[in-house]
Coordinates of all heavy atoms in Angstrom, one line a residue:
S74 N -2.8 -10.4 9.5 CA -3.4 -11.5 10.3 C -3.9 -12.6 9.3 O -4.4 -12.3 8.2 CB -4.5 -11.0 11.1 OG -5.2 -12.1 11.7
A75 N -3.7 -13.8 9.7 CA -4.2 -14.9 8.9 C -5.7 -14.9 8.9 O -6.3 -15.6 8.0 CB -3.7 -16.2 9.5
S76 N -6.4 -14.2 9.7 CA -7.8 -14.1 9.7 C -8.3 -13.2 8.6 O -9.6 -13.2 8.4 CB -8.3 -13.5 11.1 OG -7.9 -12.2 11.3
I77 N -7.5 -12.4 8.0 CA -7.9 -11.6 6.8 C -7.8 -12.5 5.6 O -6.8 -13.0 5.2 CB -7.0 -10.4 6.6 CG1 -7.0 -9.5 7.9 CG2 -7.4 -9.6 5.4 CD1 -6.1 -8.4 7.9
F78 N -8.9 -12.6 4.9 CA -9.0 -13.4 3.7 C -9.2 -12.6 2.5 O -9.8 -11.5 2.6 CB -10.1 -14.5 3.8 CG -9.9 -15.5 5.0 CD1 -10.6 -15.3 6.2 CD2 -9.1 -16.6 4.8 CE1 -10.4 -16.2 7.2 CE2 -8.9 -17.5 5.8 CZ -9.5 -17.3 7.0
S79 N -8.9 -13.1 1.4 CA -9.1 -12.5 0.1 C -8.6 -11.1 0.0 O -9.3 -10.2 -0.5 CB -10.6 -12.5 -0.2 OG -11.1 -13.8 -0.3
I80 N -7.3 -10.9 0.4 CA -6.7 -9.6 0.2 C -6.4 -9.4 -1.2 O -5.8 -10.2 -1.9 CB -5.4 -9.5 1.0 CG1 -5.7 -9.6 2.5 CG2 -4.6 -8.3 0.7 CD1 -4.4 -9.7 3.4
N81 N -6.9 -8.3 -1.8 CA -6.6 -8.0 -3.2 C -5.6 -7.0 -3.5 O -5.1 -6.9 -4.6 CB -7.9 -7.6 -3.9 CG -8.6 -6.4 -3.3 OD1 -8.0 -5.5 -2.8 ND2 -9.9 -6.5 -3.3
A82 N -5.1 -6.3 -2.4 CA -4.0 -5.4 -2.6 C -3.3 -5.1 -1.3 O -4.0 -5.0 -0.2 CB -4.5 -4.1 -3.2
M83 N -2.0 -4.9 -1.3 CA -1.3 -4.4 -0.1 C -0.4 -3.3 -0.6 O 0.1 -3.3 -1.8 CB -0.5 -5.6 0.5 CG -1.3 -6.7 1.1 SD -0.4 -7.9 2.1 CE -0.1 -6.9 3.6
A84 N -0.1 -2.4 0.3 CA 0.6 -1.2 -0.2 C 1.3 -0.6 1.0 O 1.0 -0.9 2.2 CB -0.3 -0.2 -0.8
W85 N 2.3 0.3 0.7 CA 3.0 1.1 1.6 C 2.7 2.6 1.3 O 2.8 3.0 0.2 CB 4.5 0.9 1.6 CG 4.9 -0.4 2.1 CD1 5.2 -1.5 1.4 CD2 5.2 -0.7 3.5 NE1 5.6 -2.5 2.3 CE2 5.6 -2.1 3.6 CE3 5.1 0.0 4.7 CZ2 5.9 -2.7 4.8 CZ3 5.4 -0.7 5.9 CH2 5.8 -2.0 5.9
F86 N 2.2 3.3 2.4 CA 2.0 4.7 2.3 C 3.1 5.4 3.3 O 3.6 4.7 4.1 CB 0.6 5.1 2.7 CG -0.4 4.8 1.7 CD1 -0.9 3.5 1.5 CD2 -1.0 5.8 0.9 CE1 -1.9 3.2 0.6 CE2 -2.0 5.5 0.0 CZ -2.4 4.2 -0.1
R87 N 3.3 6.7 3.1 CA 4.1 7.4 4.1 C 3.5 8.8 4.3 O 2.9 9.3 3.4 CB 5.5 7.5 3.6 CG 5.8 8.3 2.4 CD 7.3 8.2 2.0 NE 7.6 9.0 0.8 CZ 8.7 9.0 0.2 NH1 9.7 8.2 0.6 NH2 8.9 9.8 -0.9
Q88 N 3.8 9.3 5.5 CA 3.3 10.6 5.8 C 4.4 11.3 6.6 O 4.9 10.9 7.6 CB 2.0 10.6 6.6 CG 1.4 12.0 6.8 CD 0.0 11.9 7.2 OE1 -0.5 10.9 7.7 NE2 -0.7 13.0 6.9
A89 N 4.9 12.5 6.1 CA 5.8 13.3 6.7 C 5.1 14.5 7.3 O 4.1 14.9 6.9 CB 6.9 13.8 5.7
P90 N 5.7 15.1 8.4 CA 5.1 16.3 9.0 C 4.8 17.4 8.0 O 5.7 17.7 7.2 CB 6.1 16.7 10.1 CG 6.8 15.5 10.4 CD 6.9 14.7 9.1
G91 N 3.6 17.9 8.0 CA 3.2 19.0 7.1 C 2.9 18.6 5.7 O 2.7 19.5 4.9
K92 N 3.0 17.3 5.4 CA 2.7 16.8 4.0 C 1.5 15.9 4.0 O 1.2 15.2 5.0 CB 4.0 16.2 3.5 CG 5.1 17.1 3.3 CD 6.3 16.4 2.6 CE 7.5 17.4 2.4 NZ 8.6 16.7 1.7
Q93 N 1.0 15.7 2.8 CA -0.1 14.8 2.6 C 0.4 13.3 2.6 O 1.5 13.1 2.2 CB -0.9 15.1 1.3 CG -1.5 16.4 1.3 CD -2.7 16.5 2.2 OE1 -3.5 15.6 2.3 NE2 -2.8 17.7 2.8
R94 N -0.4 12.4 3.1 CA -0.1 11.0 3.0 C 0.0 10.7 1.5 O -0.9 11.0 0.7 CB -1.2 10.2 3.7 CG -0.9 8.7 3.7 CD -1.9 7.9 4.5 NE -1.8 8.3 5.9 CZ -2.5 7.8 6.9 NH1 -3.4 6.8 6.6 NH2 -2.4 8.2 8.1
E95 N 1.0 9.9 1.2 CA 1.2 9.6 -0.2 C 1.5 8.1 -0.4 O 2.0 7.4 0.5 CB 2.4 10.3 -0.8 CG 3.7 10.0 -0.3 CD 4.9 10.6 -1.0 OE1 4.8 11.0 -2.2 OE2 6.0 10.8 -0.4
L96 N 1.0 7.5 -1.5 CA 1.3 6.1 -1.9 C 2.7 6.0 -2.3 O 3.2 6.7 -3.1 CB 0.4 5.7 -3.0 CG 0.6 4.3 -3.5 CD1 0.3 3.2 -2.5 CD2 -0.2 4.1 -4.8
V97 N 3.4 5.0 -1.7 CA 4.8 4.8 -2.0 C 4.9 3.6 -3.0 O 5.6 3.7 -4.0 CB 5.6 4.4 -0.7 CG1 7.1 4.1 -1.1 CG2 5.6 5.6 0.2
A98 N 4.2 2.5 -2.7 CA 4.3 1.3 -3.5 C 3.1 0.5 -3.3 O 2.6 0.4 -2.1 CB 5.5 0.5 -3.3
L99 N 2.6 -0.2 -4.3 CA 1.4 -1.0 -4.2 C 1.6 -2.3 -5.0 O 2.1 -2.3 -6.1 CB 0.1 -0.3 -4.6 CG -1.2 -1.0 -4.6 CD1 -2.3 -0.1 -4.2 CD2 -1.5 -1.7 -6.0
I100 N 1.1 -3.4 -4.5 CA 1.1 -4.7 -5.2 C -0.3 -5.3 -5.1 O -0.8 -5.4 -4.0 CB 2.2 -5.6 -4.7 CG1 2.3 -6.9 -5.6 CG2 2.1 -5.9 -3.2 CD1 3.6 -7.7 -5.4
T101 N -0.8 -5.7 -6.2 CA -2.2 -6.4 -6.2 C -2.0 -7.9 -6.2 O -1.0 -8.4 -6.3 CB -3.0 -5.9 -7.4 OG1 -2.4 -6.5 -8.6 CG2 -2.9 -4.4 -7.6
S102 N -3.2 -8.5 -6.0 CA -3.2 -10.0 -6.0 C -2.8 -10.6 -7.3 O -2.3 -11.7 -7.4 CB -4.6 -10.5 -5.5 OG -5.6 -10.0 -6.4
S103 N -3.0 -9.8 -8.4 CA -2.6 -10.3 -9.7 C -1.1 -10.0 -10.0 O -0.7 -10.4 -11.1 CB -3.5 -9.6 -10.8 OG -3.3 -8.2 -10.8
G104 N -0.4 -9.3 -9.1 CA 1.0 -9.1 -9.3 C 1.3 -7.7 -9.9 O 2.5 -7.5 -10.1
T105 N 0.3 -6.9 -10.1 CA 0.6 -5.6 -10.7 C 1.3 -4.7 -9.6 O 0.8 -4.6 -8.5 CB -0.7 -4.9 -11.2 OG1 -1.2 -5.7 -12.2 CG2 -0.4 -3.5 -11.7
I106 N 2.3 -4.0 -9.9 CA 3.1 -3.2 -9.0 C 3.1 -1.8 -9.5 O 3.4 -1.5 -10.7 CB 4.5 -3.8 -8.8 CG1 4.5 -5.1 -8.1 CG2 5.3 -2.8 -7.9 CD1 5.8 -5.8 -8.1
T107 N 2.9 -0.8 -8.6 CA 3.1 0.6 -8.9 C 4.0 1.2 -7.9 O 4.0 0.8 -6.7 CB 1.8 1.3 -9.0 OG1 1.1 1.2 -7.8 CG2 0.9 0.7 -10.1
Y108 N 4.7 2.2 -8.3 CA 5.6 3.0 -7.4 C 5.4 4.5 -7.6 O 5.1 4.9 -8.7 CB 7.1 2.7 -7.7 CG 7.5 1.3 -7.4 CD1 7.7 0.4 -8.4 CD2 7.8 0.9 -6.1 CE1 8.2 -0.9 -8.2 CE2 8.3 -0.4 -5.8 CZ 8.4 -1.3 -6.9 OH 8.9 -2.6 -6.6

């Protein structure tokens, strides 16, 4: 939403049945990316 200001990170997580939620990929406001 455009009403959200000053987002410092966005990411994708995933969760499969019987498994823990895990970080898939993340990108910060400074451009740092992790997979």
Side-chain angles (χ1 to χ4, degrees):
S74 172
S76 65
I77 303 175
F78 297 100
S79 300
I80 294 174
N81 56 36
M83 296 188 74
W85 290 95
F86 288 75
R87 67 186 181 187
Q88 187 160 24
K92 296 185 178 181
Q93 297 291 320
R94 182 174 296 181
E95 65 173 336
L96 175 67
V97 177
L99 179 145
I100 184 167
T101 70
S102 59
S103 64
T105 301
I106 296 173
T107 58
Y108 295 101

